[in-house]
Amino acid sequence: MAVERTLSIIKPDAVAKNVIGEIVSRFEKADLKVVEARMQQLTREEAEGFYAVHKERPFFNDLVEFMISGPVFIQALEGENAIQKNRDLMGATDPKKAEPGTIRADFAESIDANAVHGSDAPETAAVEIAYFFGK
Ligand code: RTP
Ligand code: MG
């Protein structure tokens, strides 16, 4: 398996719940290393650009409003199979469908306020990491 990098965002709901450390601890216990990190209040333009692939979807406006509702904690994570490993740690998009013990099952309230973002493929990981951290 290859060493990969993936983008993780701890979303405004989880930041407001004060569980950044608990979530990062799950990454670390799974041998994912935080190689970039920054606390940031996204502007509307930054959130719209980040989720541009979803701009025709009915939930796009709610998603952008939610992502700018408070600060987020953005990280690049590195490790073996990091992209899929992070997705497995996150659980399903809808926390009601997420496996017990996943981040979304434990910390998320709803499909809108679902605690974390994680890149879904090598191509999107590269674009998303460059979007926030350059190169
Ligand atoms: P993310 O991109 O945030 O890691 O989440 P994901 O891959 O699991 O889900 P995706 O399909 O990429 O959707 C991005 C975010 O949009 C919100 N969403 N709402 N109301 C809905 O039907 C709906 N579907 C998606 C979620 O907050 C999701 O994380
Ligand atoms: Mg996604």
Side-chain angles (χ1 to χ4, degrees):
M1 259 181 297
V3 173
E4 296 174 332
R5 287 189 175 194
T6 191
L7 188 86
S8 166
I9 302 178
I10 301 180
K11 294 184 179 184
D13 59 320
V15 172
K17 278 188 182 164
N18 212 21
V19 292
I20 293 173
E22 289 196 50
I23 293 173
V24 172
S25 174
R26 292 182 183 210
F27 299 148
E28 292 176 340
K29 286 182 181 132
D31 287 329
L32 293 175
K33 188 182 280 277
V34 178
V35 293
E36 304 267 14
R38 180 167 74 245
M39 199 84 206
Q40 188 169 330
Q41 171 68 54
L42 297 181
T43 65
R44 184 174 301 278
E45 292 67 33
E46 284 166 340
E48 286 176 350
F50 181 73
Y51 277 121
V53 295
H54 293 311
K55 69 174 181 296
E56 306 304 332
R57 307 283 286 278
F59 58 79
F60 180 71
N61 284 335
D62 288 344
L63 174 60
V64 169
E65 287 297 334
F66 170 65
M67 290 300 288
I68 66 175
S69 66
V72 296
F73 188 68
I74 310 167
Q75 310 130 87
L77 305 176
E78 184 181 272
E80 292 277 333
N81 199 26
I83 297 164
Q84 187 58 48
K85 188 182 271 185
N86 181 41
R87 298 285 295 187
D88 292 345
L89 292 170
M90 289 163 59
T93 308
D94 181 350
K96 292 198 286 294
K97 297 178 182 157
E99 290 289 324
T102 60
I103 293 166
R104 282 168 166 165
D106 290 348
F107 300 119
E109 299 303 327
S110 67
I111 195 167
D112 302 301
N114 64 359
V116 280
H117 163 83
S119 307
D120 58 12
E123 302 71 33
T124 49
V127 170
E128 291 177 359
I129 290 169
Y131 190 80
F132 287 117
F133 296 111
K135 285 197 291 318

